[in-house]
Amino acid sequence: MVTGKMLRTAEMTDIHGAALRLRLKVQGLDGGIEVLEFVDSTPALALRHAAARGMRVLAIESGVTGAETVDGTAVAGSFPLLSFSQELLALLDAGLNLTEAIGTLLAKERNQGVRAVLAEVLRALREGRNFSDVLAGMAQHFPPVYIATVRASERTGDMPQSLARYIAYQIQFEAIRKKLVSAAIYPAMLLLVGGFVTLFLLGYVVPRFALVYESSGRDMPWLSALLLSFGRLIHGHWQLALTGLLSALGVGAWGLSRSQGRAWLLAQLLELPGLAPKANAFRLARFYRAVSLLLAAGIALPRAMGMVAGLLSTPQQKQLVQCRLAVEQGQSLSAALVRTALASPVAESLIKVGERSGQMAEMLERTARFVDDDFARWVDWASRLLEPVLMLAIGLVIGAVVVLMYMPIFELAGSLQ
C-alpha cells in the first residue's frame, strides 16, 4: 500500500538556495511499501529520517523549485555521470588530487547545469567535507550505488579502482541499452513508412478508383465497397484525419520525450508474455552486477542487496526481502536466491563457487556477464525475426488494399470473357 506523508516543513533550502521537494519510496518493517514526502529538506536529512524509523529506501525522487545556478540561470538537464566518472578517473590516474580534478572539470565544462553541480561539489570539498557526503547531499544527480562505492573507497583509499569498477558497470549496461535501441530502429522505421504508404493509398488512390467504379454502375464485392467507402471518408475529411494523425504523433513524441512516458511504455512492453521472462533475467543481471560492485567496494552483503533492490521489478523486490532475511539469518546466498526464485541453475553454480573460494564479487560479475551474453543473443535473434515478420505484415496490408481496389476490374474482365 502506498501512502503519502508530510514529514518535515523546516526552513531549509537546497544547494542553490531553492526549496527542495523529496519523495522517498521506502519499505517499512512490516514489508509494506510507502512513499514519504519531504518539503524544504535535504536528501541527507531525508535519508537519515527514514533510517531512524527503520525503513529501507528503495528510490529517491527530487524536484527543485526556483533553483538557480551560480550565474543565475536555471539548472536543466541530467548530470552526465558516466562521462564525469571517466574524466575524473583519468585526472586522478594522472596524479591530481580530488579537489584539483574537480576544479579542472569545472574549468573545462560549458554546460551551465553541470557547472552548477561541479561548482557546489568543489565548494564543499574546499570546506573539508568528505566527497561521499557531498554526493549524498545531491542524490538527484548521484545514485545510491555510486555514493556507496565512493564512501567505501574513502575508507580503503582506492578511489581510482572503485571508479573504474563503476565505469565498467555502467558501460556494460549502456552496451545492452544501445543494442536494444539499435534493434528497435529498423522495425520502427518499417512501421512508420508502411503506415504512411497505407494512408496514402486509402486517402488518395482509393477515392479515385471509387469515382471510376461509381460511373460504371456495376455492383462491387462488399469488401471492395467497404474499402472504397472508407477511402472516400478519409478523402472527404482529410483535414480532420490529418489533424488527428499529427495530434497522435505529437502526443506520442511528447510522451516519449519524458522519462515517465518512456518508463510507462517500457513497462507495458515488458509485460508482454514473450518479453517478461527476458526482462526479469536482464533485471537480475543488473542486480548481480550492482551487488558485485558494492561487495568489491567493501559493503556487507545484506546491505548491498538492500541498496540495489530498486533494480528489480516489484514482484522480484518482494522475493528479495525474503532472500535478504534468509542471508541475515545465516543461510548461504546461493540457497537463498534459489529458494526465492532469484537465481537460475547457472547462477546458482557460479555463486556457490564464489562462496567456496571467497570471490563472491567476481562470481556475481561472471553471472551477470553470462546472463548479458544470453540476453544479447536473444536480442539478435528477435530483431532478425521481427524484421521479416513486420515486412510480411506490411506487405499483406498494402497488398490487400491493392487487391480490393482491383477486384471489381477483375470481375469485369471475367464477365467480358
Side-chain angles (χ1 to χ4, degrees), residues 192 243-266:
L192 185 63
T243 302
L245 177 62
L246 294 178
S247 300
L249 291 176
V251 170
W254 176 80
L256 292 177
S257 66
R258 300 175 62 84
S259 59
Q260 297 90 338
R262 292 193 299 270
W264 179 85
L265 178 61
L266 182 61

Side-chain angles (χ1 to χ4, degrees), residues 190-328:
L190 276 178
L191 289 175
L192 185 63
V193 173
F196 274 110
V197 170
T198 303
L199 288 176
F200 173 75
L201 289 175
L202 292 175
Y204 183 81
V205 178
V206 169
R208 279 151 180 77
F209 274 77
L211 294 176
V212 175
Y213 294 149
E214 288 176 352
S215 61
S216 68
R218 295 178 60 89
D219 293 332
M220 293 181 294
W222 71 272
L223 284 177
S224 298
L226 182 64
L227 176 69
L228 296 178
S229 299
F230 185 66
R232 285 197 300 267
L233 179 63
I234 294 179
H235 183 74
H237 302 85
W238 66 270
Q239 299 95 335
L240 184 61
L242 182 61
T243 302
L245 177 62
L246 294 178
S247 300
L249 291 176
V251 170
W254 176 80
L256 292 177
S257 66
R258 300 175 62 84
S259 59
Q260 297 90 338
R262 292 193 299 270
W264 179 85
L265 178 61
L266 182 61
Q268 299 304 311
L269 290 176
L270 294 182
E271 291 299 324
L272 296 177
L275 293 179
K278 294 297 180 181
N280 288 333
F282 177 68
R283 294 189 184 102
L284 281 176
R286 290 194 65 196
F287 171 76
Y288 294 151
R289 182 167 282 117
V291 172
S292 170
L293 175 68
L294 293 175
L295 289 178
I299 306 297
L301 178 59
R303 183 186 175 197
M305 295 169 64
M307 290 177 63
V308 296
L311 299 177
L312 301 175
S313 64
T314 301
Q316 288 175 326
Q317 290 180 16
K318 295 179 180 178
Q319 295 169 320
L320 182 63
V321 172
Q322 302 299 322
C323 178
R324 184 183 178 190
L325 180 61
V327 171
E328 290 175 344

Side-chain angles (χ1 to χ4, degrees), residues 68-80:
E68 296 184 356
T69 65
V70 289
D71 60 349
T73 58
V75 176
S78 59
F79 187 76

